[in-house]
């Protein structure tokens, strides 16, 4: 049974930081590309960042220089470090096994003063 369990979301002030984690089980984590998506209220879901099994990364233009995706294959965990957060980053963030199209349940990130 595949499980992707996100944690680390919450409420943060503009300019603040959060680190999302996603613990994976039931997949061959080290071989799969992993990604983070987000969906804001009234907007379409969008891809935020992706990391291949080899560590190559891709970022949505709007988060470049602020967000960093990383992975720990030993812990089957992918991370999203989010710095300099803006109100427009408010969304539900989803962890995705991009290779096999498995999705986590999502974690809410709210950026507000």
């Amino acid at each position: 049974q595949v499980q992707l369990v996100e944690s680390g979301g919450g409420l943060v002030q503009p300019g603040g930081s959060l680190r999302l984690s996603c613990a994976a089980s039931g997949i061959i984590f080290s071989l799969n590309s992993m990604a983070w998506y987000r969906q804001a209220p009234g907007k379409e879901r969008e891809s935020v960042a992706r990391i291949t099994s080899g560590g190559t990364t891709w970022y949505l233009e709007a988060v470049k220089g602020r967000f960093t995706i990383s992975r720990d294959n030993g812990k089957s965990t992918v991370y999203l470090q989010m710095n300099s957060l803006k109100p427009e980053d408010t969304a539900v963030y989803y962890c995705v096994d991009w290779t096999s199209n498995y999705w986590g349940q999502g974690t809410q990130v709210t950026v507000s003063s």
Side-chain angles (χ1 to χ4, degrees), residues 28-105:
I28 307 176
F29 181 84
S30 62
L31 298 182
N32 289 3
S33 292
M34 301 296 295
W36 289 94
Y37 281 64
R38 68 185 181 187
Q39 186 166 22
K43 294 188 177 180
E44 292 190 357
R45 194 172 290 181
E46 63 182 356
S47 180
V48 175
R50 187 164 68 243
I51 185 167
T52 69
S53 58
T56 301
T57 57
W58 171 91
Y59 295 95
L60 179 71
E61 189 65 33
V63 307
K64 279 184 180 178
R66 301 189 297 121
F67 290 11
T68 302
I69 189 170
S70 61
R71 64 192 298 159
D72 184 335
N73 289 338
K75 295 182 178 180
S76 295
T77 300
V78 61
Y79 304 97
L80 186 67
Q81 177 67 44
M82 305 185 294
N83 298 329
S84 302
L85 282 161
K86 304 175 181 181
E88 51 264 42
D89 295 318
T90 295
V92 177
Y93 283 72
Y94 297 91
C95 172
V96 181
D97 175 345
W98 193 78
T99 299
S100 302
N101 198 30
Y102 293 118
W103 289 67
Q105 81 286 353

